[in-house]
Amino acid sequence: QMFIEYRICSDLNQIHYESGEVYRNPTEVQMSQIVLPCHANHCGELSVGQLLKWMDSTACLSAERHAGCSCITASVDDIHFEHTIGVGKVVNIIAKVNRAFTSSMEVGILVTCEDLYTDRQWKVCHAFATFAARRTEAGKVQLKQVIAHTQMEQMEYSLAAERRRMRLIHAEIITDLLSSSTAQLECQEYQDAVAAERTRVESVELVLPPHANHQVSTFGGQIMAWMENVATIAASRLCNAHPTLRSIDMFHFRGPSHIGDRLVLKAIVNNAFKHSMEVGVCAEAYQGGEPLRHINSAFMTFEVLDSDRKPCTLPRIRPEPVDGKRRFQEAIARKKIRLDRKYIISCKQTEVPLSVPWDPSNQMYLSYNNVSALKLMDNRNNWVLASEKNKVRLYTLEENQMLCFKVEMNVRVSAEQTFHLLSDLRRRMEWDRHYEECEVINQADEEDTIYRVATPSVTKGGKGKDFILLASRRKPCDSRDPYLIALRSVTLPTHPPTEEYTRGEVLCAGFTIWEESSSVTKITYYNQATPGVLPYISTDIAGLSSSFYSAFSACSQFLLANKDSLAALPPSVL
């Protein structure tokens, strides 16, 4: 999966020492809890609020183990709950730090359920939380780097940078999408619709010492549990039944809460769809006569399941004027964003279609998917050297009935200049004979561009191919990251297939550019071969041709000829 699927007892995450000991990540913290009736809801299933408290506690301890000081929950990424957990089952939670930045770190959390009678285990959810190290008397904390020892750890380290980028721009992009989408939506009136105001819930909680952590701040998990409680009540009022929480959207803690605070929790059903509903919930705090402080807001998606565990059809909502209609419309836009996220990011690699429709609402997720897929390929260590010629090396990897290849070479050009020269695909025509035409279709943002590329036919008299490619560029976060240029196919309604060309597809391709020294750069080109690409490279892989070596020798000459060129500016200013 694009969000790495943790595997229990994964060989990728184990190193066996000569002493017989098995390597264990130094930041890893495990928690196991048996689900008792006091933890359960009316259905005899573990309350999600209780699970969130356990997850937050485990992740916080992992963060503090790495930081060596107190840490607080800053944000939690989207969580999708795949299964419920019954009384008597064991909940196993594993948390570990994937990557540390200046004063914050990403912690990966895996929750599995264990049946003690059958010895079965299955995944319930996984999540990524960001924790910030608290200031000490000496000032702001500078966190030490995470050292990856296994292939799995290296992949998570690499992907954490891309997830962080998505978090930083998430709020801004969601705001832009909501403002553009809701302007086109209208509230449809339904007969027998339930008034949204009927679902409104307000509750107050006094923060006592048992609700606080060792830093005398309210547990982030405790706040999430209280929010889940009022959201569940709001959802129940719509359907007159007991709902099941399926997912929580990414949210950020806006400020701290302490012992003695009064936490005011408010929830309301924003919109109901055929089989699911969105509940908006917020937490505010105050002490004495001071004004309310905004602590957190979240959007939770609920379903109501029948006796066969199938989703029931839900009644429709009748929103109140002004604010109610705004929430109603925004919920529709968020549902679309949620579907994009699930469709593009969360499905397995084998289930991702070769070409996904591009539009501004899914740009962030397509870009993430594009870069993450290339990083995953870059971190594989089971490549087989197929051949080598003039210091250009061709490797192959066959796995899950899929062929991948990479071409590797070193050039005496700085990594940054190499990155700028290769970033603009229009200049690839100067060295790659497979690029017959190349034009910019859409400059999505400074790091993402959509191109149309045309290639000649590989057979005499045949039609050429054209590709609609999303190019996503990334500069390194630190010296342990490469420069990246990731490519994948997308579809645009403005550029449908034509009679002149056969439309080709690229699932994952691109360059990683590593700085070996100030003047030597290692370039690696990757491609996950699809039927549209195979004719261009099959003879090279079989050893019957050397066209790829010729192409990359030409690439090396192109880079050397332009190593000092001022024309190699970032694509955003070209």
Side-chain angles (χ1 to χ4, degrees):
Q1 294 189 359
M2 289 298 93
F3 277 121
I4 295 297
E5 183 79 54
Y6 289 86
R7 281 173 283 178
I8 303 165
C9 301
S10 169
D11 290 338
L12 288 175
N13 220 14
Q14 290 188 355
I15 296 176
H16 295 266
Y17 297 110
E18 291 182 3
S19 62
E21 294 180 14
V22 177
Y23 161 79
R24 181 171 171 180
N25 187 302
T27 70
E28 183 180 299
V29 172
Q30 298 184 15
M31 177 186 286
S32 293
Q33 297 277 358
I34 191 162
V35 180
L36 301 174
C38 62
H39 301 137
N41 58 21
H42 64 287
C43 295
E45 295 169 346
L46 175 64
S47 156
V48 173
Q50 180 62 61
L51 178 59
L52 291 169
K53 285 199 283 188
W54 288 339
M55 290 169 66
D56 183 63
S57 298
T58 311
C60 183
L61 292 173
S62 173
E64 291 183 345
R65 177 175 283 184
H66 179 74
C69 64
S70 299
C71 296
I72 55 173
T73 314
S75 68
V76 180
D77 290 2
D78 310 322
I79 308 175
H80 178 71
F81 300 97
E82 298 180 21
H83 300 281
T84 56
I85 304 171
V87 169
K89 299 293 191 294
V90 172
V91 179
N92 295 309
I93 305 172
I94 300 175
K96 58 184 177 182
V97 177
N98 292 329
R99 184 164 183 162
F101 302 97
T102 306
S103 59
S104 67
M105 67 208 95
E106 180 191 275
V107 180
I109 310 162
L110 170 68
V111 180
T112 58
C113 182
E114 178 183 354
D115 188 323
L116 294 172
Y117 297 100
T118 63
D119 207 27
R120 283 182 58 241
Q121 290 194 44
W122 57 92
K123 193 185 81 169
V124 174
C125 68
H126 65 247
F128 299 100
T130 302
F131 283 81
R134 292 175 71 101
R135 285 177 175 270
T136 63
E137 293 180 0
K140 195 171 183 179
V141 175
Q142 175 72 46
L143 293 172
K144 61 186 177 184
Q145 285 293 322
V146 171
I147 306 298
H149 289 90
T150 67
Q151 185 181 347
M152 180 68 80
E153 289 177 2
Q154 181 56 50
M155 285 194 290
E156 288 293 4
Y157 178 90
S158 183
L159 290 173
E162 190 62 17
R163 286 190 289 263
R164 180 173 186 256
R165 175 186 177 274
M166 192 161 66
R167 279 178 213 117
L168 293 174
I169 63 175
H170 180 266
E172 179 184 339
I173 287 179
I174 293 295
T175 301
D176 290 345
L177 291 177
L178 291 179
S179 60
S180 60
S181 300
T182 55
Q184 307 166 19
L185 298 172
E186 293 184 6
C187 293
Q188 189 174 346
E189 295 290 337
Y190 292 96
Q191 206 171 16
D192 302 325
V194 176
E197 284 301 305
R198 177 183 160 187
T199 69
R200 187 180 292 278
V201 180
E202 183 171 323
S203 181
V204 65
E205 298 282 355
L206 175 62
V207 180
L208 300 171
H211 303 138
N213 57 24
H214 47 294
Q215 308 153 34
V216 202
S217 297
T218 316
F219 267 121
Q222 178 63 68
I223 296 173
M224 288 188 275
W226 283 332
M227 294 173 73
E228 184 267 340
N229 176 61
V230 293
T232 301
I233 295 171
S236 301
R237 287 181 176 173
L238 171 69
C239 55
N240 296 322
H242 294 288
T244 298
L245 179 59
R246 279 301 183 208
S247 66
I248 305 174
D249 288 3
M250 180 188 296
F251 59 85
H252 298 261
F253 284 93
R254 306 295 177 186
S257 168
H258 305 286
I259 292 174
D261 275 350
R262 281 72 169 168
L263 248 63
V264 180
L265 302 132
K266 301 174 184 176
I268 191 169
V269 177
N270 292 329
N271 205 335
F273 308 99
K274 186 175 182 181
H275 293 133
S276 66
M277 70 185 96
E278 180 194 276
V279 179
V281 55
C282 75
E284 298 171 313
Y286 71 94
Q287 280 201 14
E290 69 179 25
L292 289 169
R293 310 188 312 273
H294 183 202
I295 302 297
N296 193 5
S297 294
F299 299 101
M300 303 186 182
T301 302
F302 288 84
E303 294 177 347
V304 176
L305 305 178
D306 62 18
S307 56
D308 296 323
R309 310 295 293 173
K310 302 292 184 184
C312 300
T313 302
L314 300 175
R316 293 291 187 170
I317 275 284
R318 183 174 67 252
E320 295 299 304
V322 191
D323 281 350
K325 286 192 175 183
R326 175 186 55 79
R327 290 194 300 267
F328 183 94
Q329 292 170 330
E330 288 180 350
I332 296 172
R334 273 191 297 271
K335 186 186 181 195
K336 199 272 182 192
I337 294 166
R338 225 170 270 131
L339 288 172
D340 284 337
R341 186 173 59 231
K342 184 177 180 181
Y343 181 60
I344 296 167
I345 291 181
S346 301
C347 56
K348 294 179 181 177
Q349 178 75 19
T350 53
E351 296 170 356
V352 178
L354 291 184
S355 190
V356 176
W358 179 92
D359 66 53
S361 69
N362 67 13
Q363 162 61 26
M364 177 171 63
Y365 307 116
L366 273 173
S367 181
Y368 172 86
N369 172 281
N370 196 15
V371 173
S372 298
L374 183 61
K375 285 188 172 186
L376 289 174
M377 214 185 297
D378 182 51
N379 278 289
R380 304 310 296 265
N381 58 11
N382 48 343
W383 293 93
V384 176
L385 179 63
S387 56
E388 182 175 0
K389 182 178 179 181
N390 299 330
K391 296 183 180 179
V392 177
R393 299 169 291 280
L394 175 64
Y395 297 82
T396 60
L397 172 63
E398 292 184 67
E399 196 170 77
N400 298 325
Q401 299 181 326
M402 199 167 283
L403 172 67
C404 303
F405 68 91
K406 72 175 182 179
V407 180
E408 198 173 77
M409 66 178 181
N410 286 16
V411 293
R412 300 194 70 82
V413 182
S414 73
E416 185 174 17
Q417 183 76 346
T418 300
F419 173 69
H420 291 321
L421 286 166
L422 295 179
S423 284
D424 186 5
L425 295 192
R426 291 171 296 185
R427 300 206 65 178
R428 188 160 165 176
M429 291 187 292
E430 297 179 39
W431 59 269
D432 189 348
R433 66 179 182 82
H434 294 113
Y435 270 50
E436 196 170 60
E437 299 175 26
C438 183
E439 60 175 322
V440 173
I441 296 175
N442 188 313
Q443 185 73 53
D445 56 36
E446 288 187 3
E447 296 182 311
D448 296 278
T449 309
I450 300 176
Y451 295 89
R452 177 187 169 272
V453 175
T455 61
S457 170
V458 291
T459 59
K460 189 174 181 180
K463 289 198 294 186
K465 289 185 180 290
D466 70 345
F467 301 81
I468 307 299
L469 298 178
L470 171 65
S472 302
R473 297 170 288 271
R474 299 290 187 271
K475 291 184 178 181
C477 290
D478 58 41
S479 60
R480 296 166 65 192
D481 288 318
Y483 290 88
L484 281 167
I485 305 164
L487 307 170
R488 67 153 296 150
S489 284
V490 294
T491 59
L492 285 175
T494 54
H495 288 74
T498 62
E499 288 291 326
E500 188 179 353
Y501 291 94
T502 302
R503 179 58 50 88
E505 306 281 0
V506 172
L507 181 58
C508 175
F511 295 91
T512 62
I513 301 164
W514 291 92
E515 184 177 40
E516 301 276 279
S517 69
S518 59
S519 60
V520 177
T521 297
K522 184 174 80 172
I523 304 171
T524 308
Y525 173 76
Y526 293 90
N527 200 306
Q528 189 166 324
T530 59
V533 173
L534 271 173
Y536 296 95
I537 51 93
S538 56
T539 54
D540 288 88
I541 291 174
L544 302 176
S545 167
S546 60
S547 62
F548 248 78
Y549 300 108
S550 301
F552 281 87
S553 293
C555 176
S556 177
Q557 292 167 16
F558 161 75
L559 294 171
L560 286 168
N562 292 276
K563 64 184 295 186
D564 301 316
S565 170
L566 295 177
L569 293 170
S572 58
V573 297
L574 284 173

